[in-house]
PDB file of all heavy atoms in Angstrom:
ATOM      1  N   GLU A1270     173.170 -11.018  91.870  1.00 76.00           N
ATOM      2  CA  GLU A1270     174.477 -11.628  91.627  1.00 76.00           C
ATOM      3  C   GLU A1270     174.446 -13.148  91.788  1.00 76.00           C
ATOM      4  O   GLU A1270     175.127 -13.877  91.070  1.00 76.00           O
ATOM      5  CB  GLU A1270     175.515 -11.034  92.593  1.00 76.00           C
ATOM      6  CG  GLU A1270     175.832  -9.569  92.358  1.00 76.00           C
ATOM      7  CD  GLU A1270     176.576  -9.341  91.057  1.00 76.00           C
ATOM      8  OE1 GLU A1270     177.229 -10.280  90.580  1.00 76.00           O
ATOM      9  OE2 GLU A1270     176.501  -8.217  90.514  1.00 76.00           O
ATOM     10  N   THR A1271     173.661 -13.633  92.737  1.00 74.00           N
ATOM     11  CA  THR A1271     173.649 -15.079  92.973  1.00 74.00           C
ATOM     12  C   THR A1271     173.082 -15.848  91.783  1.00 74.00           C
ATOM     13  O   THR A1271     173.438 -16.996  91.539  1.00 74.00           O
ATOM     14  CB  THR A1271     172.818 -15.411  94.233  1.00 74.00           C
ATOM     15  OG1 THR A1271     171.475 -14.938  94.036  1.00 74.00           O
ATOM     16  CG2 THR A1271     173.422 -14.737  95.469  1.00 74.00           C
ATOM     17  N   SER A1272     172.200 -15.201  91.024  1.00 71.00           N
ATOM     18  CA  SER A1272     171.605 -15.884  89.871  1.00 71.00           C
ATOM     19  C   SER A1272     172.532 -15.893  88.666  1.00 71.00           C
ATOM     20  O   SER A1272     172.252 -16.550  87.666  1.00 71.00           O
ATOM     21  CB  SER A1272     170.285 -15.201  89.481  1.00 71.00           C
ATOM     22  OG  SER A1272     170.520 -13.876  89.019  1.00 71.00           O
ATOM     23  N   LEU A1273     173.663 -15.179  88.763  1.00 73.00           N
ATOM     24  CA  LEU A1273     174.581 -15.078  87.629  1.00 73.00           C
ATOM     25  C   LEU A1273     175.806 -15.974  87.784  1.00 73.00           C
ATOM     26  O   LEU A1273     176.685 -15.965  86.908  1.00 73.00           O
ATOM     27  CB  LEU A1273     175.053 -13.616  87.471  1.00 73.00           C
ATOM     28  CG  LEU A1273     173.948 -12.561  87.318  1.00 73.00           C
ATOM     29  CD1 LEU A1273     174.576 -11.182  87.188  1.00 73.00           C
ATOM     30  CD2 LEU A1273     173.073 -12.864  86.110  1.00 73.00           C
ATOM     31  N   ASN A1274     175.877 -16.719  88.879  1.00 75.00           N
ATOM     32  CA  ASN A1274     177.042 -17.572  89.115  1.00 75.00           C
ATOM     33  C   ASN A1274     177.249 -18.555  87.968  1.00 75.00           C
ATOM     34  O   ASN A1274     176.315 -19.236  87.537  1.00 75.00           O
ATOM     35  CB  ASN A1274     176.883 -18.354  90.424  1.00 75.00           C
ATOM     36  CG  ASN A1274     176.994 -17.446  91.642  1.00 75.00           C
ATOM     37  OD1 ASN A1274     177.577 -16.371  91.562  1.00 75.00           O
ATOM     38  ND2 ASN A1274     176.427 -17.889  92.772  1.00 75.00           N
ATOM     39  N   GLY A1275     178.472 -18.569  87.475  1.00 75.00           N
ATOM     40  CA  GLY A1275     178.818 -19.503  86.401  1.00 75.00           C
ATOM     41  C   GLY A1275     178.483 -19.004  85.003  1.00 75.00           C
ATOM     42  O   GLY A1275     178.785 -19.692  84.023  1.00 75.00           O
ATOM     43  N   MET A1276     177.867 -17.846  84.880  1.00 81.00           N
ATOM     44  CA  MET A1276     177.499 -17.327  83.569  1.00 81.00           C
ATOM     45  C   MET A1276     178.647 -16.499  82.984  1.00 81.00           C
ATOM     46  O   MET A1276     179.301 -15.739  83.686  1.00 81.00           O
ATOM     47  CB  MET A1276     176.233 -16.464  83.658  1.00 81.00           C
ATOM     48  CG  MET A1276     174.984 -17.236  84.065  1.00 81.00           C
ATOM     49  SD  MET A1276     173.530 -16.150  84.249  1.00 81.00           S
ATOM     50  CE  MET A1276     173.306 -15.562  82.575  1.00 81.00           C
ATOM     51  N   SER A1277     178.874 -16.642  81.696  1.00 82.00           N
ATOM     52  CA  SER A1277     179.899 -15.844  81.012  1.00 82.00           C
ATOM     53  C   SER A1277     179.407 -14.410  80.841  1.00 82.00           C
ATOM     54  O   SER A1277     178.218 -14.116  81.020  1.00 82.00           O
ATOM     55  CB  SER A1277     180.204 -16.445  79.637  1.00 82.00           C
ATOM     56  OG  SER A1277     179.058 -16.339  78.797  1.00 82.00           O
ATOM     57  N   ASP A1278     180.319 -13.509  80.476  1.00 78.00           N
ATOM     58  CA  ASP A1278     179.938 -12.113  80.246  1.00 78.00           C
ATOM     59  C   ASP A1278     178.895 -12.008  79.142  1.00 78.00           C
ATOM     60  O   ASP A1278     177.951 -11.214  79.236  1.00 78.00           O
ATOM     61  CB  ASP A1278     181.172 -11.286  79.880  1.00 78.00           C
ATOM     62  CG  ASP A1278     182.101 -11.079  81.067  1.00 78.00           C
ATOM     63  OD1 ASP A1278     181.656 -11.311  82.214  1.00 78.00           O
ATOM     64  OD2 ASP A1278     183.265 -10.696  80.848  1.00 78.00           O
ATOM     65  N   GLU A1279     179.065 -12.804  78.083  1.00 81.00           N
ATOM     66  CA  GLU A1279     178.107 -12.769  76.985  1.00 81.00           C
ATOM     67  C   GLU A1279     176.733 -13.258  77.431  1.00 81.00           C
ATOM     68  O   GLU A1279     175.701 -12.713  77.025  1.00 81.00           O
ATOM     69  CB  GLU A1279     178.618 -13.632  75.812  1.00 81.00           C
ATOM     70  CG  GLU A1279     179.758 -13.020  75.034  1.00 81.00           C
ATOM     71  CD  GLU A1279     179.390 -11.677  74.413  1.00 81.00           C
ATOM     72  OE1 GLU A1279     178.271 -11.566  73.868  1.00 81.00           O
ATOM     73  OE2 GLU A1279     180.198 -10.738  74.501  1.00 81.00           O
ATOM     74  N   ALA A1280     176.737 -14.299  78.273  1.00 84.00           N
ATOM     75  CA  ALA A1280     175.467 -14.824  78.769  1.00 84.00           C
ATOM     76  C   ALA A1280     174.762 -13.803  79.656  1.00 84.00           C
ATOM     77  O   ALA A1280     173.531 -13.653  79.614  1.00 84.00           O
ATOM     78  CB  ALA A1280     175.705 -16.124  79.542  1.00 84.00           C
ATOM     79  N   VAL A1281     175.546 -13.064  80.462  1.00 81.00           N
ATOM     80  CA  VAL A1281     174.961 -12.028  81.319  1.00 81.00           C
ATOM     81  C   VAL A1281     174.341 -10.925  80.463  1.00 81.00           C
ATOM     82  O   VAL A1281     173.238 -10.450  80.741  1.00 81.00           O
ATOM     83  CB  VAL A1281     176.034 -11.449  82.265  1.00 81.00           C
ATOM     84  CG1 VAL A1281     175.489 -10.215  83.000  1.00 81.00           C
ATOM     85  CG2 VAL A1281     176.482 -12.494  83.278  1.00 81.00           C
ATOM     86  N   LYS A1282     175.045 -10.524  79.406  1.00 82.00           N
ATOM     87  CA  LYS A1282     174.525  -9.481  78.518  1.00 82.00           C
ATOM     88  C   LYS A1282     173.221  -9.926  77.855  1.00 82.00           C
ATOM     89  O   LYS A1282     172.276  -9.152  77.729  1.00 82.00           O
ATOM     90  CB  LYS A1282     175.572  -9.141  77.451  1.00 82.00           C
ATOM     91  CG  LYS A1282     176.755  -8.354  77.982  1.00 82.00           C
ATOM     92  CD  LYS A1282     177.739  -8.023  76.861  1.00 82.00           C
ATOM     93  CE  LYS A1282     178.918  -7.234  77.418  1.00 82.00           C
ATOM     94  NZ  LYS A1282     179.915  -6.918  76.357  1.00 82.00           N
ATOM     95  N   GLU A1283     173.187 -11.180  77.430  1.00 84.00           N
ATOM     96  CA  GLU A1283     171.984 -11.700  76.781  1.00 84.00           C
ATOM     97  C   GLU A1283     170.826 -11.777  77.783  1.00 84.00           C
ATOM     98  O   GLU A1283     169.672 -11.468  77.441  1.00 84.00           O
ATOM     99  CB  GLU A1283     172.266 -13.087  76.195  1.00 84.00           C
ATOM    100  CG  GLU A1283     171.164 -13.651  75.321  1.00 84.00           C
ATOM    101  CD  GLU A1283     170.930 -12.821  74.067  1.00 84.00           C
ATOM    102  OE1 GLU A1283     171.870 -12.121  73.625  1.00 84.00           O
ATOM    103  OE2 GLU A1283     169.801 -12.860  73.527  1.00 84.00           O
ATOM    104  N   PHE A1284     171.142 -12.160  79.018  1.00 85.00           N
ATOM    105  CA  PHE A1284     170.130 -12.219  80.079  1.00 85.00           C
ATOM    106  C   PHE A1284     169.547 -10.828  80.336  1.00 85.00           C
ATOM    107  O   PHE A1284     168.320 -10.648  80.451  1.00 85.00           O
ATOM    108  CB  PHE A1284     170.763 -12.796  81.354  1.00 85.00           C
ATOM    109  CG  PHE A1284     169.805 -12.985  82.490  1.00 85.00           C
ATOM    110  CD1 PHE A1284     168.804 -13.940  82.430  1.00 85.00           C
ATOM    111  CD2 PHE A1284     169.895 -12.189  83.637  1.00 85.00           C
ATOM    112  CE1 PHE A1284     167.913 -14.108  83.484  1.00 85.00           C
ATOM    113  CE2 PHE A1284     169.021 -12.352  84.693  1.00 85.00           C
ATOM    114  CZ  PHE A1284     168.022 -13.320  84.613  1.00 85.00           C
ATOM    115  N   ALA A1285     170.434  -9.818  80.412  1.00 85.00           N
ATOM    116  CA  ALA A1285     169.988  -8.445  80.638  1.00 85.00           C
ATOM    117  C   ALA A1285     169.158  -7.942  79.460  1.00 85.00           C
ATOM    118  O   ALA A1285     168.157  -7.239  79.651  1.00 85.00           O
ATOM    119  CB  ALA A1285     171.198  -7.532  80.856  1.00 85.00           C
ATOM    120  N   LYS A1286     169.566  -8.313  78.254  1.00 88.00           N
ATOM    121  CA  LYS A1286     168.824  -7.891  77.069  1.00 88.00           C
ATOM    122  C   LYS A1286     167.409  -8.469  77.078  1.00 88.00           C
ATOM    123  O   LYS A1286     166.436  -7.783  76.739  1.00 88.00           O
ATOM    124  CB  LYS A1286     169.561  -8.328  75.801  1.00 88.00           C
ATOM    125  CG  LYS A1286     168.890  -7.891  74.513  1.00 88.00           C
ATOM    126  CD  LYS A1286     169.662  -8.364  73.295  1.00 88.00           C
ATOM    127  CE  LYS A1286     168.924  -8.001  72.013  1.00 88.00           C
ATOM    128  NZ  LYS A1286     169.629  -8.495  70.810  1.00 88.00           N
ATOM    129  N   ASN A1287     167.284  -9.724  77.460  1.00 89.00           N
ATOM    130  CA  ASN A1287     165.958 -10.356  77.517  1.00 89.00           C
ATOM    131  C   ASN A1287     165.070  -9.669  78.554  1.00 89.00           C
ATOM    132  O   ASN A1287     163.865  -9.470  78.332  1.00 89.00           O
ATOM    133  CB  ASN A1287     166.096 -11.842  77.831  1.00 89.00           C
ATOM    134  CG  ASN A1287     166.698 -12.624  76.672  1.00 89.00           C
ATOM    135  OD1 ASN A1287     166.609 -12.200  75.516  1.00 89.00           O
ATOM    136  ND2 ASN A1287     167.317 -13.755  76.968  1.00 89.00           N
ATOM    137  N   LYS A1288     165.651  -9.317  79.725  1.00 89.00           N
ATOM    138  CA  LYS A1288     164.880  -8.603  80.739  1.00 89.00           C
ATOM    139  C   LYS A1288     164.473  -7.218  80.228  1.00 89.00           C
ATOM    140  O   LYS A1288     163.369  -6.735  80.511  1.00 89.00           O
ATOM    141  CB  LYS A1288     165.696  -8.476  82.028  1.00 89.00           C
ATOM    142  CG  LYS A1288     165.825  -9.778  82.813  1.00 89.00           C
ATOM    143  CD  LYS A1288     166.568  -9.564  84.112  1.00 89.00           C
ATOM    144  CE  LYS A1288     165.769  -8.751  85.123  1.00 89.00           C
ATOM    145  NZ  LYS A1288     164.585  -9.447  85.615  1.00 89.00           N
ATOM    146  N   ALA A1289     165.366  -6.597  79.449  1.00 89.00           N
ATOM    147  CA  ALA A1289     165.054  -5.285  78.879  1.00 89.00           C
ATOM    148  C   ALA A1289     163.888  -5.383  77.902  1.00 89.00           C
ATOM    149  O   ALA A1289     163.012  -4.509  77.869  1.00 89.00           O
ATOM    150  CB  ALA A1289     166.281  -4.708  78.180  1.00 89.00           C
ATOM    151  N   GLU A1290     163.868  -6.441  77.099  1.00 90.00           N
ATOM    152  CA  GLU A1290     162.772  -6.632  76.152  1.00 90.00           C
ATOM    153  C   GLU A1290     161.439  -6.775  76.881  1.00 90.00           C
ATOM    154  O   GLU A1290     160.414  -6.219  76.457  1.00 90.00           O
ATOM    155  CB  GLU A1290     163.037  -7.876  75.296  1.00 90.00           C
ATOM    156  CG  GLU A1290     164.188  -7.745  74.309  1.00 90.00           C
ATOM    157  CD  GLU A1290     163.945  -6.651  73.292  1.00 90.00           C
ATOM    158  OE1 GLU A1290     162.790  -6.494  72.849  1.00 90.00           O
ATOM    159  OE2 GLU A1290     164.903  -5.939  72.949  1.00 90.00           O
ATOM    160  N   THR A1291     161.451  -7.513  77.990  1.00 90.00           N
ATOM    161  CA  THR A1291     160.227  -7.680  78.774  1.00 90.00           C
ATOM    162  C   THR A1291     159.758  -6.347  79.336  1.00 90.00           C
ATOM    163  O   THR A1291     158.565  -6.013  79.296  1.00 90.00           O
ATOM    164  CB  THR A1291     160.473  -8.689  79.917  1.00 90.00           C
ATOM    165  OG1 THR A1291     160.868  -9.946  79.363  1.00 90.00           O
ATOM    166  CG2 THR A1291     159.221  -8.870  80.757  1.00 90.00           C
ATOM    167  N   GLU A1292     160.705  -5.563  79.848  1.00 88.00           N
ATOM    168  CA  GLU A1292     160.341  -4.257  80.421  1.00 88.00           C
ATOM    169  C   GLU A1292     159.829  -3.314  79.332  1.00 88.00           C
ATOM    170  O   GLU A1292     158.878  -2.555  79.552  1.00 88.00           O
ATOM    171  CB  GLU A1292     161.552  -3.650  81.137  1.00 88.00           C
ATOM    172  CG  GLU A1292     161.199  -2.394  81.909  1.00 88.00           C
ATOM    173  CD  GLU A1292     162.290  -1.963  82.879  1.00 88.00           C
ATOM    174  OE1 GLU A1292     162.955  -2.849  83.449  1.00 88.00           O
ATOM    175  OE2 GLU A1292     162.459  -0.740  83.057  1.00 88.00           O
ATOM    176  N   LEU A1293     160.464  -3.343  78.153  1.00 88.00           N
ATOM    177  CA  LEU A1293     160.009  -2.499  77.046  1.00 88.00           C
ATOM    178  C   LEU A1293     158.574  -2.826  76.654  1.00 88.00           C
ATOM    179  O   LEU A1293     157.786  -1.933  76.336  1.00 88.00           O
ATOM    180  CB  LEU A1293     160.931  -2.673  75.831  1.00 88.00           C
ATOM    181  CG  LEU A1293     162.256  -1.913  75.853  1.00 88.00           C
ATOM    182  CD1 LEU A1293     163.107  -2.314  74.655  1.00 88.00           C
ATOM    183  CD2 LEU A1293     162.023  -0.412  75.849  1.00 88.00           C
TER     184      LEU A1293
END
Side-chain angles (χ1 to χ4, degrees):
E1270 293 292 336
T1271 60
S1272 65
L1273 304 179
N1274 290 337
M1276 295 177 64
S1277 66
D1278 289 344
E1279 286 300 317
V1281 171
K1282 287 181 180 179
E1283 189 64 25
F1284 184 68
K1286 182 180 176 182
N1287 290 336
K1288 287 183 70 67
E1290 291 298 322
T1291 301
E1292 188 167 325
L1293 280 174

